[in-house]
C-alpha cells in the first residue's frame, strides 16, 4: 500500500476554481495562485467548501472530496441519485450540477485542453456543448455491474476497486436500470462483472465479464472475456433509416441518440461529394461507413479500417447492400496508412480514448486528403492530435461538442481539419 502523503485525510477549507479534465475542480491549498493544486470532486467553480484529501502522493497536487459546501454556487442542485457523493459511486461526476452547468463545465474543459495542449484559443470556433435529446437520466443503453469475490454487486467507487452497493442506476434506460436477477442461468465462475446491453429488440443482452488472458503493456489488465448468457447475441440499432447489427459485447455508442448525432455532424463537417474516395479509420461496425458511402454514391467509395475481428464481421453484414463500402481488418498505424493503394479525398477517424497519436496523424496528413473529419471521445487526445495537425500547417476549421454522457465528465467532439491554404 502506498505511504500516506503529507495531506492524506486532512480537511481543508478551499475556494474552488475552474473545472479540470476528469470531473473535478481545481483549488489551491495555501497561496491562491502558487499554492498546491487540489483536484476537488463534488464541488463547483466559485464555491467555498470543506474538503477531505483522499490521495496525496506528494508532488505539486493532491485529490480531495468536498464533504461540506460552505457557500454554494447557484448552479448546484440536489443529486438525483442517492449513491452520488463523496466516497460513493464513481460512475457520475456532475450529479450536483444543473444540465446547463454540466455543459458549461465541459465547454470550459475543452477550451482549456486546446489552450494547454494545442496552444490554440478556440474563441468562436466552439459554439458550446450541444444537448442530446432525452435529458440527464435514463439514457445509458448498457451498464456494467461490478461483482466482488464474495458475490456482492454494485458500481465501482471513483479511482477504486471497491464497490458501492447499488441495485438501481438512474442513468440507465429503464429496462436495464436494475441489477439483473441472475436466477442460476448465469454460471458466474470467476466473473468480475455482469453487463446489460440494449438494442432495438425487446430483451436486453446479459453478458458475464471474466478476467481476460494474456499480457498488456504497462501493467494494464487485458480486456475482459465476455460471454452472452441471456438475450440476443447480436443487438440492432437504427441510424438514419438503416439498421446495424452489433455483437452484444462490441462497440456501439451508449447514448441512443449519439450515433445519429455524430454521423450527421461528421457529414456536415466533411461534406462528402459524389464520386469521392473516403478512408474511415477505426470504423467499428460501420456506423459512419454506411452514411459516408451513401453520400459519395456509386462512383465513390469508402474503405473502413478496424482492428476488432467481430466488428469487421458485423460491418460486412451491415454494409452488404452498399457495394462501394467495405471494412478491412487491420490496425491503424503509420505503416498501414503508408501502404494504402488509393489516395483518399476525405479521411475520417473515430479513435479510442488515446486518440490517433503523432505518427498516425502525420501519416494521414501525408495522404493529402481534401479534408479530415475527427470524432473524438476525449478532448485532451483531440487537442494533442490537433497540435500535430497545426504544426504541419493544417487548420482546425470547425469544432462541435456534444453532451452524449450526461452527469459524467465525458464529452464528444467532432472536428474538421483542412490542409494548408494556397
Ligand atoms: C470509438 S470506436 C468507433 C467505432 C465506429 N466508428 C462507430 O462510430 O461506431 C473505436 C474503434 O476503433 C477500434 N480500434 C481501436 N484501436 C484500433 C487500431 N489501432 N486500429 C484499428 N481499429 C482500432 C475499436 O475496436 C473500435 O471499434
Amino acid at each position: 500500500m502506498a505511504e500516506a502523503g503529507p495531506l492524506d485525510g486532512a480537511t481543508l477549507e478551499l475556494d474552488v476554481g475552474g473545472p479540470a479534465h476528469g470531473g473535478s475542480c481545481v483549488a489551491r491549498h495555501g497561496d491562491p495562485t502558487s499554492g498546491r493544486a487540489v483536484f476537488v470532486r463534488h464541488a463547483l467553480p466559485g464555491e467555498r467548501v470543506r474538503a477531505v484529501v483522499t490521495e496525496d502522493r506528494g508532488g505539486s497536487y493532491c485529490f480531495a472530496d468536498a464533504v461540506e459546501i460552505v457557500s454554494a454556487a447557484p448552479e448546484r442542485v440536489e443529486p438525483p441519485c442517492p449513491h452520488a457523493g463523496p466516497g460513493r459511486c464513481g460512475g457520475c461526476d456532475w450529479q450536483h450540477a444543473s444540465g446547463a452547468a454540466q455543459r458549461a463545465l465541459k465547454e470550459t474543459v475543452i477550451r482549456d485542453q486546446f489552450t494547454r495542449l494545442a496552444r490554440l484559443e478556440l474563441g468562436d470556433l466552439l459554439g458550446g456543448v450541444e444537448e442530446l435529446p432525452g435529458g440527464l437520466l435514463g439514457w445509458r443503453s448498457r451498464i456494467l455491474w461490478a461483482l466482488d469475490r464474495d458475490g456482492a454487486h454494485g458500481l465501482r467507487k471513483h479511482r477504486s476497486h471497491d464497490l458501492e452497493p447499488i441495485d438501481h442506476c438512474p442513468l440507465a434506460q429503464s429496462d436495464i436500470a436494475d441489477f439483473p436477477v441472475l436466477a442460476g442461468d448465469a454460471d458466474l465462475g470467476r466473473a468480475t462483472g455482469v453487463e446489460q446491453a440494449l438494442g432495438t429488440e425487446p430483451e436486453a443482452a446479459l453478458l458475464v465479464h471474466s478476467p481476460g488472458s494474456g499480457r498488456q503493456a504497462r501493467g494494464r489488465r487485458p480486456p475482459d472475456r465476455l460471454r452472452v448468457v441471456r438475450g440476443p447475441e447480436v443487438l440492432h440499432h437504427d441510424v438514419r433509416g438503416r439498421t446495424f447489427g452489433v455483437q452484444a459485447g462490441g462497440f456501439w455508442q451508449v447514448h441512443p441518440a449519439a450515433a445519429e448525432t455524430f454521423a450527421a455532424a461528421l457529414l456536415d463537417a466533411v461534406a462528402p461529394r459524389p464520386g469521392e474516395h473516403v478512408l474511415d479509420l477505426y470504423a467499428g461496425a460501420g456506423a459512419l461507413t454506411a452514411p459516408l458511402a451513401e453520400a459519395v454514391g456509386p462512383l465513390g467509395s469508402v474503405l473502413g479500417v478496424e482492428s476488432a475481428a467481430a466488428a469487421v464481421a458485423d460491418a460486412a453484414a451491415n454494409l452488404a447492400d452498399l457495394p462501394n463500402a467495405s471494412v478491412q481488418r487491420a490496425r491503424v498505424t503509420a505503416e498501414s496508412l503508408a501502404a494504402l493503394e488509393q489516395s483518399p479525398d476525405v479521411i475520417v477517424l473515430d479513435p479510442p480514448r488515446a486518440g490517433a497519436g503523432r505518427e498516425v496523424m502525420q501519416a494521414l496528413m501525408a495522404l493529402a486528403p481534401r479534408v479530415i473529419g475527427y470524432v473524438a471521445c476525449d478532448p485532451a487526445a483531440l487537442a494533442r492530435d490537433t497540435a500535430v495537425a497545426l504544426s504541419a500547417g493544417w487548420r482546425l476549421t470547425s469544432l462541435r461538442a456534444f453532451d452524449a454522457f450526461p452527469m459524467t465528465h465525458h464529452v464528444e467532439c467532432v472536428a474538421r481539419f483542412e490542409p494548408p491554404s494556397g
Side-chain angles (χ1 to χ4, degrees):
M1 200 173 187
E3 225 170 84
L7 287 177
D8 265 333
T11 301
L12 311 174
E13 188 148 327
L14 298 166
D15 290 313
V16 179
H21 189 25
S24 58
C25 292
V26 187
R28 297 274 167 194
H29 175 50
D31 187 276
T33 46
S34 62
R36 279 182 88 201
V38 187
F39 292 97
V40 192
R41 286 177 63 76
H42 311 287
L44 290 174
E47 292 188 328
R48 186 164 180 80
V49 302
R50 263 190 276 282
V52 172
V53 176
T54 50
E55 192 180 324
D56 183 1
R57 298 188 181 170
S60 59
Y61 61 86
C62 61
F63 299 94
D65 273 354
V67 293
E68 188 188 333
I69 311 304
V70 178
S71 72
E75 306 80 32
R76 178 169 281 276
V77 298
E78 190 58 36
C81 176
H83 298 285
R88 308 288 303 276
C89 176
C92 291
D93 306 293
W94 297 125
Q95 287 250 350
H96 56 287
S98 68
Q102 293 182 27
R103 293 188 291 280
L105 289 162
K106 295 181 195 202
E107 179 184 346
T108 303
V109 168
I110 297 169
R111 291 181 180 281
D112 194 44
Q113 294 303 307
F114 273 81
T115 305
R116 284 164 193 269
L117 301 171
R119 302 263 171 267
L120 182 68
E121 297 301 330
L122 288 175
D124 294 341
L125 202 54
L126 179 64
V129 174
E130 300 172 44
E131 195 175 352
L132 263 54
L136 300 176
L137 299 173
W139 56 269
R140 290 195 70 94
S141 62
R142 61 193 313 135
I143 177 165
L144 172 58
W145 305 89
L147 297 178
D148 252 357
R149 285 206 183 117
D150 58 10
H153 65 261
L155 297 176
R156 299 255 183 243
K157 297 184 176 184
H158 182 63
R159 288 168 71 88
S160 166
H161 290 299
D162 293 348
L163 286 187
E164 167 82 8
I166 297 181
D167 285 316
H168 176 85
C169 172
L171 253 61
Q173 294 181 29
S174 57
D175 287 353
I176 56 170
D178 294 312
F179 184 76
V181 179
L182 294 175
D185 58 347
D187 168 19
L188 292 177
R190 294 198 306 138
T192 53
V194 289
E195 186 171 16
Q196 288 160 292
L198 273 176
T200 48
E201 29 281 291
E203 194 187 1
L206 180 68
L207 300 104
V208 171
H209 283 237
S210 26
S213 54
R215 286 170 158 242
Q216 286 287 100
R218 290 186 292 251
R220 280 180 302 168
R221 273 183 24 191
D224 286 353
R225 199 164 62 84
L226 301 190
R227 208 159 32 95
V228 176
V229 293
R230 199 189 302 162
E233 294 271 346
V234 174
L235 295 169
H236 291 86
H237 307 271
D238 292 335
V239 180
R240 300 171 71 89
R242 294 183 68 85
T243 299
F244 293 81
V246 184
Q247 308 284 316
F251 177 86
W252 192 259
Q253 295 291 347
V254 173
H255 193 294
E260 180 112 23
T261 305
F262 303 161
L266 184 71
L267 289 176
D268 264 2
V270 300
R273 301 168 190 161
E276 281 192 322
H277 300 291
V278 182
L279 188 58
D280 173 20
L281 304 177
Y282 314 93
L288 304 172
T289 325
L292 288 162
E294 283 167 350
V296 296
L299 297 180
S301 68
V302 185
L303 173 63
V305 181
E306 163 63 44
S307 60
V312 173
D314 288 338
N318 293 331
L319 304 171
D321 64 325
L322 292 168
N324 63 340
S326 60
V327 173
Q328 75 177 36
R329 185 173 178 207
R331 280 181 58 75
V332 175
T333 62
E335 295 72 33
S336 64
L337 291 171
L340 286 171
E341 276 161 22
Q342 191 173 42
S343 300
D345 303 295
V346 176
I347 299 180
V348 306
L349 67 160
D350 183 4
R353 290 195 68 69
R358 172 173 297 278
E359 274 132 41
V360 166
M361 285 300 288
Q362 284 171 339
L364 52 90
M365 290 184 289
L367 294 171
R370 169 177 71 73
V371 64
I372 295 174
Y374 192 142
V375 181
C377 59
D378 182 353
L382 176 62
R384 279 193 297 274
D385 287 340
T386 299
V388 180
L390 298 181
S391 67
W394 281 61
R395 298 163 296 136
L396 175 67
T397 53
S398 142
L399 180 64
R400 290 174 71 186
F402 299 95
D403 192 8
F405 312 91
M407 299 293 195
T408 78
H409 72 272
H410 296 284
V411 61
E412 194 89 7
C413 293
V414 177
R416 176 179 64 218
F417 295 95
E418 292 182 80
S421 43

